[in-house]
C-alpha cells in the first residue's frame, strides 16, 4: 500500500478573518512537498479550487515546481476538475510534468467538490453529468492514442490531430476520484480506472459496499487485477501527543467545516463530531503515531487498499504543524505500516 499526502492548498485564516497571502502559502507547500520526498512518502496530490480560501487553482504548476525539488515521490492532482477543463490541455500539462519528473506524474480526474469553475470557464451547471462523461472519454482516448479523431458536444471536433508531448512510456496514470455515488463507482469499474474514495465524514465502514461493488464491476469487465488500484482520502493530522494535536486542530478544522457548511446548509460543527471522527470507527485520523498506524492498518484491512492519502491541510494548520505532521508520517507512521503489511 502506497502512503502519501493530499492537500487542497487551504490558506490560513486568523481570528480576525484575515487570509494568509497566497504567495506565502505556495512557497510553504513546495517546502512541504520537498520534506515528503525526503522522509520517503510515496505520493503527493494537490487539488484545484477557485475560491478565496484556497491557494491553488492550477495543480499542474505546483506539481511542475515540486518536480524540480524532489527525486522519488509521485506527483498527482487531487483532483483536477475535469468537467470544466479542456482534456487536450490537461493531458499536455500532465505529460509535461511527467517528462520533467522522469515519469512521476499522475492525473486524478473528478467533478470537484465546489462549482466555482463552471461559470469561471463558461460552462453550464445543467450539463454537469454530460460534461464529465464526455471529457473523461476524450481524456482516456488521448492517453491511448497519440493521433486522434473525435467529436463531442462541448468542444470543437478533432480531426487526425496529434496531442503532444506524450507522457513517459506514452502512458499517463489516470485516477478518478469518487464521493460515494454508485454511478461513479460503476463507471470507474467498467473503464478499469483506479479509484480514490473520499471518506471525510461518518463511519468508513459505510463505504464497504461501494468498494465491493467497484471490485465486482472491475472484474466483471475483465480488467487485469494486477493493475487494480483503490485508495482512500481521509482528513488527517499527526502530532507527538494525541490530545494536544486534537486541541490545536479542532478550532481550525471546525472553522473550515463551518465556512463550507454555511453555503451548504450544514448545522454548526461540534466538538463531539470531531471526537467521534477521531474514534476507532470514525473517519478522522488525527492523533499520535501509534493511533494513526492502527487506524490506517484498519482501513487497509477493511477495504483492501493499495493507496492511503492523508488529507492534511484542511482549515489551514500552520506551516510548522504541517512540517511536524509530515515528519511523523514519514519517519514513524509509514515505517510501522509498511512493516505490518510486509509480515
Amino acid at each position: 500500500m502506497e502512503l502519501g499526502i493530499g492537500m487542497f492548498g487551504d490558506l490560513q485564516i486568523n481570528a480576525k478573518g484575515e487570509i494568509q497571502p497566497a504567495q506565502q502559502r505556495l512557497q510553504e507547500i513546495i517546502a512541504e512537498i520537498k520534506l515528503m520526498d525526503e522522509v520517503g512518502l510515496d505520493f503527493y496530490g494537490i487539488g484545484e479550487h477557485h475560491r478565496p480560501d484556497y491557494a491553488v487553482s492550477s495543480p499542474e504548476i505546483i506539481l511542475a515546481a515540486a518536480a524540480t525539488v524532489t527525486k522519488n515521490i509521485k506527483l498527482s492532482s487531487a483532483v483536477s476538475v475535469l468537467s470544466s477543463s479542456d482534456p487536450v490541455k490537461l493531458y499536455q500539462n500532465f505529460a509535461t510534468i511527467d517528462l520533467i519528473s522522469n515519469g512521476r506524474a499522475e492525473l486524478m480526474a473528478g467533478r470537484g467538490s465546489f462549482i466555482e469553475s463552471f461559470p469561471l470557464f463558461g460552462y453550464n451547471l445543467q450539463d454537469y453529468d454530460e460534461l464529465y462523461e464526455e471529457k473523461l472519454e476524450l481524456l482516456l482516448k488521448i492517453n491511448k492514442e497519440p493521433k486522434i479523431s473525435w467529436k463531442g458536444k462541448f468542444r470543437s471536433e478533432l480531426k487526425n490531430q496529434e496531442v503532444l508531448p506524450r507522457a513517459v512510456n506514452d502512458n499517463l496514470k489516470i485516477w478518478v476520484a469518487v464521493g460515494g455515488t454508485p454511478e461513479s463507482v460503476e463507471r470507474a469499474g467498467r473503464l478499469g480506472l483506479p479509484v480514490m474514495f473520499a471518506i471525510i465524514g461518518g463511519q468508513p465502514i459505510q463505504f464497504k459496499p461501494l468498494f465491493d461493488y467497484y471490485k465486482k464491476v472491475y472484474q466483471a469487465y475483465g480488467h487485469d487485477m494486477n493493475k487494480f488500484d483503490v485508495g482512500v482520502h481521509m482528513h488527517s493530522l499527526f502530532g507527538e501527543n494525541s490530545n494536544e494535536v486534537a486541541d490545536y486542530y479542532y478550532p481550525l478544522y471546525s472553522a473550515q467545516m463551518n465556512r463550507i457548511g454555511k453555503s451548504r446548509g450544514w448545522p454548526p460543527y461540534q466538538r463531539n463530531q470531531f471526537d467521534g471522527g477521531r474514534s476507532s470507527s470514525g473517519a478522522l485520523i488525527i492523533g499520535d503515531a501509534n493511533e494513526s498506524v492502527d487506524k490506517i492498518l484498519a482501513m487497509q484491512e477493511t477495504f483492501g487498499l493499495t493507496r492511503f492519502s492523508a488529507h492534511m491541510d484542511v482549515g489551514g494548520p500552520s506551516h510548522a504543524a504541517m512540517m511536524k505532521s509530515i515528519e511523523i508520517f514519514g519517519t514513524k507512521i509509514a515505517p510501522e505500516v509498511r512493516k505490518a503489511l510486509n509480515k
Side-chain angles (χ1 to χ4, degrees):
M1 180 172 65
E2 293 180 316
L3 301 167
I5 291 173
M7 293 184 187
F8 280 1
D10 292 45
L11 292 163
Q12 293 146 28
I13 302 176
N14 65 22
K16 298 178 182 178
E18 297 168 336
I19 302 177
Q20 176 189 27
Q23 180 181 7
Q24 179 187 6
R25 182 67 196 124
L26 292 173
Q27 293 174 0
E28 291 174 353
I29 288 172
I30 298 302
E32 290 161 10
I33 304 169
K34 187 172 185 290
L35 179 60
M36 293 174 209
D37 190 54
E38 291 169 352
V39 298
L41 292 174
D42 297 310
F43 69 90
Y44 170 75
I46 180 67
E48 172 192 345
H49 294 88
H50 305 271
R51 296 166 54 89
D53 46 347
Y54 295 100
V56 180
S57 61
S58 299
E60 45 268 63
I61 295 179
I62 300 299
L63 300 176
T68 67
V69 297
T70 57
K71 296 178 180 178
N72 300 305
I73 196 167
K74 295 177 181 178
L75 300 167
S76 175
S77 53
V79 302
S80 296
V81 184
L82 181 59
S83 307
S84 56
S85 301
D86 177 14
V88 175
K89 188 60 176 170
L90 199 61
Y91 175 87
Q92 289 178 318
N93 289 346
F94 277 85
T96 301
I97 300 167
D98 206 39
L99 298 175
I100 294 171
S101 65
N102 292 316
R104 292 186 282 130
E106 298 180 349
L107 194 163
M108 186 177 294
R111 301 167 188 265
S113 56
F114 298 98
I115 60 173
E116 288 82 3
S117 64
F118 287 82
L120 185 63
F121 297 115
Y123 291 100
N124 192 327
L125 275 171
Q126 292 181 341
D127 300 322
Y128 187 82
D129 292 322
E130 282 187 283
L131 279 165
Y132 184 74
E133 290 174 9
E134 178 176 299
K135 293 190 174 194
L136 182 60
E137 174 193 299
L138 177 55
L139 179 64
L140 297 178
K141 187 176 179 65
I142 293 168
N143 196 34
K144 291 179 180 178
E145 303 172 22
K147 186 176 288 189
I148 65 168
S149 295
W150 179 90
K151 187 175 183 179
K153 178 179 177 181
F154 299 103
R155 141 186 242 295
S156 57
E157 183 178 0
L158 295 166
K159 296 181 179 180
N160 201 31
Q161 185 71 53
E162 280 190 287
V163 180
L164 301 168
R166 304 301 295 175
V168 174
N169 298 322
D170 202 18
N171 182 66
L172 181 66
K173 186 161 187 176
I174 297 174
W175 289 69
V176 292
V178 301
T181 64
E183 295 80 9
S184 296
V185 172
E186 189 277 336
R187 182 193 297 112
R190 172 167 42 85
L191 296 173
L193 295 172
V195 167
M196 180 66 71
F197 285 87
I199 302 181
I200 58 175
Q203 297 184 326
I205 193 65
Q206 296 170 319
F207 281 75
K208 185 68 163 63
L210 288 173
F211 281 82
D212 293 342
Y213 181 46
Y214 169 62
K215 186 174 183 180
K216 181 180 178 181
V217 174
Y218 186 96
Q219 291 176 314
Y221 278 86
H223 298 298
D224 185 355
M225 286 303 295
N226 290 321
K227 297 180 180 179
F228 182 81
D229 275 315
V230 62
V232 292
H233 158 110
M234 300 175 70
H235 291 172
S236 310
L237 193 71
F238 312 121
E240 296 287 357
N241 179 282
S242 187
N243 290 330
E244 287 179 5
V245 71
D247 289 342
Y248 161 76
Y249 194 32
Y250 172 71
L252 301 174
Y253 188 85
S254 61
Q256 178 68 333
M257 291 298 102
N258 287 333
R259 278 191 293 270
I260 296 170
K262 189 175 181 180
S263 65
R264 298 185 179 180
W266 298 348
Y269 191 80
Q270 304 292 334
R271 180 66 192 242
N272 63 348
Q273 289 176 262
F274 184 74
D275 292 338
R278 292 180 59 238
S279 71
S280 60
S281 61
L284 301 179
I285 305 186
I286 297 166
D288 63 25
N290 289 334
E291 288 179 350
S292 302
V293 167
D294 290 343
K295 204 159 182 180
I296 292 169
L297 287 172
M299 294 302 103
Q300 201 283 333
E301 183 176 355
T302 300
F303 299 122
L305 302 176
T306 63
R307 178 172 285 194
F308 172 81
S309 176
H311 183 181
M312 201 176 281
D313 64 343
V314 180
S318 71
H319 179 51
M322 289 290 294
M323 294 291 273
K324 186 64 178 178
S325 184
I326 293 163
E327 178 189 353
I328 290 171
F329 194 15
T331 63
K332 296 184 178 181
I333 296 172
E336 289 301 313
V337 170
R338 290 166 180 152
K339 181 180 176 182
L341 294 177
N342 288 331
K343 284 182 180 178

